[in-house]
Amino acid sequence: MSMPNKQILVVEDEAPIREMLKFALERADFRVSLAGNAAEGRLRIADQQPDLILMDWMMPGVSGVEFARELKNGATTRDVPIIMVTARAEEEDKVRGLNTGCDDYVSKPFSFPELMARINAVLRRSTPGGEEETLSVAGLEVNAASQRVTARGEPVKLGPTEYRLLHFFLSHQDRVYTREQVLDRVWGQSVYVEERTVDVHIRRLRKALEPHGFDGMIQTVRGTGYRFSEKV
């Protein structure tokens, strides 16, 4: 089941693949714009911001990974989900790509049903009103549309940074993140913030959650960073 009328930008330097993707996506009722490189991609985004970007890993000039990092650091583009299309399926490459903020991968050659399933899953996670509009765990709930947080129905007052932190952690449960990774994902790489700033905001978030009994879910992983988990 596709999500019709969503705008997808395909950034791919090989024209036959671009056209093939355009044909398949339009048949699934998506609106499609095309770019052959990062420079064209910037123009398409300036003309109309897409709901999702399909990005080729290897492109002449600015690579897909470099362009993805640029977009994830941009104030207006950081929340646009990116699926990387690549022939390089090695684990190291996947980790590098995910560290730029890419939301998913599909490796060539891929089937169109697989591609559509991944696109729809990413769109559902990122679209207000989709399945992931409300993130919750054990009674702690974040409503992305209203940006309200409740704990077992009681409102939790958070500052904007603490809200972004909590939303990030709820979206990425049971994974360990270094302070640097948290900075990149919550503040953005274009903003200079010292790593200890993360600790300050973690303490504030824990203090806000403590009266409701959820502060223990933000776990310090000694020598590494932080993890959000309901498991002790």
mmCIF file of all heavy atoms in Angstrom, residues 37 39 50 68 104 144 159 168 177 190 201-202 204 213 228:
data_model
loop_
_atom_site.group_PDB
_atom_site.id
_atom_site.type_symbol
_atom_site.label_atom_id
_atom_site.label_comp_id
_atom_site.label_asym_id
_atom_site.label_seq_id
_atom_site.Cartn_x
_atom_site.Cartn_y
_atom_site.Cartn_z
ATOM 1 N N ASN A 37 22.613 15.009 -10.212
ATOM 2 C CA ASN A 37 23.752 15.218 -9.318
ATOM 3 C C ASN A 37 23.305 16.102 -8.153
ATOM 4 O O ASN A 37 22.146 16.534 -8.080
ATOM 5 C CB ASN A 37 24.928 15.859 -10.068
ATOM 6 C CG ASN A 37 24.497 17.101 -10.829
ATOM 7 O OD1 ASN A 37 23.808 17.963 -10.288
ATOM 8 N ND2 ASN A 37 24.899 17.192 -12.095
ATOM 9 N N ALA A 39 24.120 19.197 -7.375
ATOM 10 C CA ALA A 39 23.766 20.572 -7.754
ATOM 11 C C ALA A 39 22.322 20.640 -8.255
ATOM 12 O O ALA A 39 21.550 21.532 -7.858
ATOM 13 C CB ALA A 39 24.726 21.089 -8.826
ATOM 14 N N PRO A 50 10.935 17.848 -1.111
ATOM 15 C CA PRO A 50 10.314 16.523 -1.229
ATOM 16 C C PRO A 50 9.940 15.948 0.130
ATOM 17 O O PRO A 50 10.414 16.406 1.170
ATOM 18 C CB PRO A 50 11.419 15.685 -1.893
ATOM 19 C CG PRO A 50 12.694 16.323 -1.430
ATOM 20 C CD PRO A 50 12.399 17.796 -1.304
ATOM 21 N N ALA A 68 24.007 13.776 1.329
ATOM 22 C CA ALA A 68 23.115 13.426 2.434
ATOM 23 C C ALA A 68 23.543 14.130 3.714
ATOM 24 O O ALA A 68 22.702 14.662 4.459
ATOM 25 C CB ALA A 68 23.101 11.912 2.641
ATOM 26 N N ASP A 104 17.474 4.662 5.504
ATOM 27 C CA ASP A 104 17.434 3.255 5.103
ATOM 28 C C ASP A 104 18.320 3.064 3.880
ATOM 29 O O ASP A 104 18.850 4.027 3.307
ATOM 30 C CB ASP A 104 15.995 2.820 4.789
ATOM 31 C CG ASP A 104 15.793 1.309 4.947
ATOM 32 O OD1 ASP A 104 16.792 0.585 5.150
ATOM 33 O OD2 ASP A 104 14.645 0.852 4.860
ATOM 34 N N ALA A 144 4.243 13.857 18.045
ATOM 35 C CA ALA A 144 5.085 14.664 17.159
ATOM 36 C C ALA A 144 4.321 15.826 16.544
ATOM 37 O O ALA A 144 4.898 16.879 16.266
ATOM 38 C CB ALA A 144 5.670 13.779 16.064
ATOM 39 N N GLY A 159 11.869 21.658 27.763
ATOM 40 C CA GLY A 159 12.373 22.694 26.871
ATOM 41 C C GLY A 159 12.518 22.127 25.471
ATOM 42 O O GLY A 159 12.475 20.897 25.273
ATOM 43 N N PHE A 168 14.280 11.920 19.775
ATOM 44 C CA PHE A 168 15.355 11.133 19.160
ATOM 45 C C PHE A 168 15.503 9.784 19.856
ATOM 46 O O PHE A 168 15.560 8.730 19.197
ATOM 47 C CB PHE A 168 16.671 11.909 19.222
ATOM 48 C CG PHE A 168 17.870 11.081 18.849
ATOM 49 C CD1 PHE A 168 18.098 10.715 17.534
ATOM 50 C CD2 PHE A 168 18.759 10.647 19.822
ATOM 51 C CE1 PHE A 168 19.200 9.931 17.190
ATOM 52 C CE2 PHE A 168 19.853 9.869 19.488
ATOM 53 C CZ PHE A 168 20.071 9.511 18.163
ATOM 54 N N TYR A 177 24.467 5.415 21.639
ATOM 55 C CA TYR A 177 24.973 6.530 20.840
ATOM 56 C C TYR A 177 26.039 7.279 21.624
ATOM 57 O O TYR A 177 25.882 7.538 22.820
ATOM 58 C CB TYR A 177 23.836 7.505 20.481
ATOM 59 C CG TYR A 177 22.905 6.957 19.440
ATOM 60 C CD1 TYR A 177 21.775 6.228 19.815
ATOM 61 C CD2 TYR A 177 23.151 7.132 18.079
ATOM 62 C CE1 TYR A 177 20.914 5.701 18.860
ATOM 63 C CE2 TYR A 177 22.302 6.608 17.121
ATOM 64 C CZ TYR A 177 21.183 5.902 17.517
ATOM 65 O OH TYR A 177 20.336 5.373 16.569
ATOM 66 N N SER A 190 26.406 21.367 11.757
ATOM 67 C CA SER A 190 26.766 22.742 11.416
ATOM 68 C C SER A 190 26.767 23.661 12.633
ATOM 69 O O SER A 190 27.181 24.811 12.565
ATOM 70 C CB SER A 190 25.796 23.294 10.357
ATOM 71 O OG SER A 190 24.471 23.260 10.841
ATOM 72 N N HIS A 201 21.988 18.597 29.022
ATOM 73 C CA HIS A 201 20.600 18.427 28.595
ATOM 74 C C HIS A 201 20.058 17.047 28.962
ATOM 75 O O HIS A 201 18.846 16.905 29.215
ATOM 76 C CB HIS A 201 20.478 18.694 27.087
ATOM 77 C CG HIS A 201 20.612 20.147 26.744
ATOM 78 N ND1 HIS A 201 19.589 21.047 26.927
ATOM 79 C CD2 HIS A 201 21.659 20.857 26.267
ATOM 80 C CE1 HIS A 201 19.997 22.247 26.558
ATOM 81 N NE2 HIS A 201 21.241 22.166 26.154
ATOM 82 N N ILE A 202 20.921 16.054 29.011
ATOM 83 C CA ILE A 202 20.494 14.729 29.495
ATOM 84 C C ILE A 202 20.050 14.833 30.952
ATOM 85 O O ILE A 202 19.019 14.276 31.355
ATOM 86 C CB ILE A 202 21.637 13.697 29.342
ATOM 87 C CG1 ILE A 202 21.890 13.361 27.866
ATOM 88 C CG2 ILE A 202 21.326 12.433 30.149
ATOM 89 C CD1 ILE A 202 20.879 12.446 27.232
ATOM 90 N N ARG A 204 18.898 17.494 32.470
ATOM 91 C CA ARG A 204 17.621 18.216 32.508
ATOM 92 C C ARG A 204 16.457 17.306 32.107
ATOM 93 O O ARG A 204 15.380 17.367 32.711
ATOM 94 C CB ARG A 204 17.687 19.429 31.563
ATOM 95 C CG ARG A 204 18.584 20.541 32.058
ATOM 96 C CD ARG A 204 18.602 21.684 31.058
ATOM 97 N NE ARG A 204 19.534 22.725 31.441
ATOM 98 C CZ ARG A 204 19.877 23.736 30.658
ATOM 99 N NH1 ARG A 204 19.355 23.846 29.442
ATOM 100 N NH2 ARG A 204 20.732 24.660 31.074
ATOM 101 N N GLY A 213 8.897 8.672 37.025
ATOM 102 C CA GLY A 213 9.526 7.362 37.093
ATOM 103 C C GLY A 213 10.144 6.869 35.788
ATOM 104 O O GLY A 213 10.424 5.675 35.652
ATOM 105 N N PHE A 228 18.695 4.671 25.304
ATOM 106 C CA PHE A 228 17.325 4.776 25.835
ATOM 107 C C PHE A 228 16.686 3.404 25.748
ATOM 108 O O PHE A 228 16.560 2.826 24.675
ATOM 109 C CB PHE A 228 16.502 5.788 25.046
ATOM 110 C CG PHE A 228 15.146 6.058 25.641
ATOM 111 C CD1 PHE A 228 14.965 7.080 26.547
ATOM 112 C CD2 PHE A 228 14.048 5.258 25.306
ATOM 113 C CE1 PHE A 228 13.714 7.330 27.120
ATOM 114 C CE2 PHE A 228 12.809 5.490 25.867
ATOM 115 C CZ PHE A 228 12.632 6.534 26.777
#
